[in-house]
Amino acid sequence: MPSRLLPIRAPFLTKPTALRGVWILGKVNYSFLQESKCLLQEEFAKHMASNTGKKLIQIDVSSDTVCPWCFVGKKNLEKAMEQTMDKFDFEVRWHPFSLNPDAPKEGVKKSDFYKTKFGPVQFERATARMREMFRGLGFEYDMSGLTGNTMDSHRLITLAGHQGYDKQNALVDELFVSYFCQGKYIGDRQVLMDAARKVGIEGAEELLLDPSKGVDEVKEELNKYSSGISGVPHFVINGKYQLSGGQPPNIFMRAFETAAKDAAE
């Protein structure tokens, strides 16, 4: 397990039930090919970093597309990256996590689900807090619409990662805004295809029309990156330093400095 950079006491969502990683026999060659693509992307990123003279910071993020703190963490991470881009090059890779793997695919009313989960009083407090957090980031938190199973969104995000981490990052952002700020349902096929089309993801329709396509790879990602954690967002920097929760930008910046110093030694 990567060593922890700091003892963090920031809010993050916990996983209600444990997920078991699944290794699917007969898919080894497919997995090897996908992993090879990722390795090529990593080598390219390292080459580009060496050409610019900047240190490369690689960030693996475990996240669920219905986790509001994941949105907050992403925006704070991006602020930290913007403030240190003169010193570092960045590669951000998104990995799946399921807060509610048994959630219905057809979706349920978002407000009703969270009132049942947290109770009416806690629901109102949490909603008010998230509205405040989102406004601080320049967004309006929308509790309308449905929530439900996020597997299809993770299948799409995993596909996007094979077409470039910049595209994957743009897709994650589009899905977050659609769900948290526009009241769109993350399990709606058309919502997912519209997001993919907007950021230029190829093969999205073919993927989403086949409910089994890409599921094995998502499960492998869950096993590899998320089986040892209990909440999201979870960030691993340069494969070593861990941060959990919607951290403020200065915490990320300190982590970048520590990781870069460690890599130079």
Side-chain angles (χ1 to χ4, degrees):
M1 289 291 294
S3 58
R4 188 172 298 278
L5 173 67
L6 294 168
I8 299 299
R9 292 185 177 87
F12 60 92
L13 294 175
T14 56
K15 182 162 71 170
T17 57
L19 269 181
R20 293 180 176 84
V22 179
W23 176 255
I24 307 298
L25 297 176
K27 297 294 183 181
V28 177
N29 290 339
Y30 173 77
S31 300
F32 174 77
L33 288 172
Q34 301 299 345
E35 187 172 337
S36 297
K37 290 181 182 179
C38 293
L39 289 173
L40 286 172
Q41 290 190 62
E42 290 177 24
E43 289 303 316
F44 179 75
K46 291 176 182 177
H47 173 72
M48 293 301 294
S50 64
N51 284 347
T52 62
K54 301 177 186 178
K55 296 288 178 61
L56 176 64
I57 302 295
Q58 294 176 310
I59 306 166
D60 288 287
V61 189
S62 292
S63 164
D64 199 359
T65 43
V66 294
C67 164
W69 285 110
C70 294
F71 180 90
V72 173
K74 183 180 190 297
K75 291 304 175 185
N76 286 341
L77 172 65
E78 289 170 349
K79 287 182 180 180
M81 291 164 58
E82 289 171 4
Q83 293 179 49
T84 54
M85 61 189 305
D86 60 325
K87 295 190 288 184
F88 306 120
D89 284 325
F90 295 96
E91 181 181 79
V92 182
R93 305 174 292 206
W94 292 83
H95 307 290
F97 187 94
S98 184
L99 287 164
N100 189 11
D102 298 321
K105 185 173 176 58
E106 62 272 17
V108 295
K109 191 175 179 182
K110 196 185 296 184
S111 57
D112 290 347
F113 174 81
Y114 287 110
K115 282 178 184 176
T116 301
K117 183 175 181 178
F118 298 116
V121 175
Q122 185 62 27
F123 165 77
E124 293 297 337
R125 289 175 180 170
T127 300
R129 187 179 186 192
M130 291 317 306
R131 285 191 176 125
E132 182 181 354
M133 294 292 296
F134 272 58
R135 283 171 184 159
L137 296 169
F139 296 88
E140 287 296 324
Y141 184 61
D142 188 343
M143 275 299 294
S144 67
L146 305 177
T147 189
N149 195 284
T150 58
M151 173 57 84
D152 284 352
S153 66
H154 289 308
R155 291 197 295 136
L156 186 59
I157 291 168
T158 302
L159 172 69
H162 298 308
Q163 298 178 26
Y165 294 125
D166 287 344
K167 277 191 176 183
Q168 185 187 53
N169 195 59
L171 176 65
V172 171
D173 203 63
E174 188 67 27
L175 293 176
F176 276 156
V177 171
S178 295
Y179 179 75
F180 292 117
C181 305
Q182 298 172 358
K184 297 179 181 180
Y185 176 39
I186 204 71
D188 187 309
R189 183 186 300 161
Q190 190 60 52
V191 169
L192 295 172
M193 288 196 296
D194 287 346
R197 191 177 300 112
K198 187 171 182 178
V199 301
I201 305 301
E202 298 176 3
E205 185 172 6
E206 179 186 356
L207 174 85
L208 294 169
L209 287 174
D210 182 351
S212 65
K213 193 176 181 65
V215 170
D216 291 347
E217 189 179 0
V218 170
K219 289 180 177 179
E220 290 171 9
E221 287 259 312
L222 283 164
N223 187 43
K224 183 175 181 180
Y225 293 100
S226 301
S227 61
I229 62 176
S230 60
V232 286
H234 186 82
F235 306 87
V236 180
I237 300 171
N238 282 3
K240 185 174 182 180
Y241 298 100
Q242 296 188 57
L243 294 171
S244 293
Q247 299 297 325
N250 66 299
I251 297 296
F252 284 114
M253 292 166 67
R254 285 169 55 191
F256 300 160
E257 294 287 352
T258 302
K261 181 179 179 182
D262 183 68
E265 292 178 352

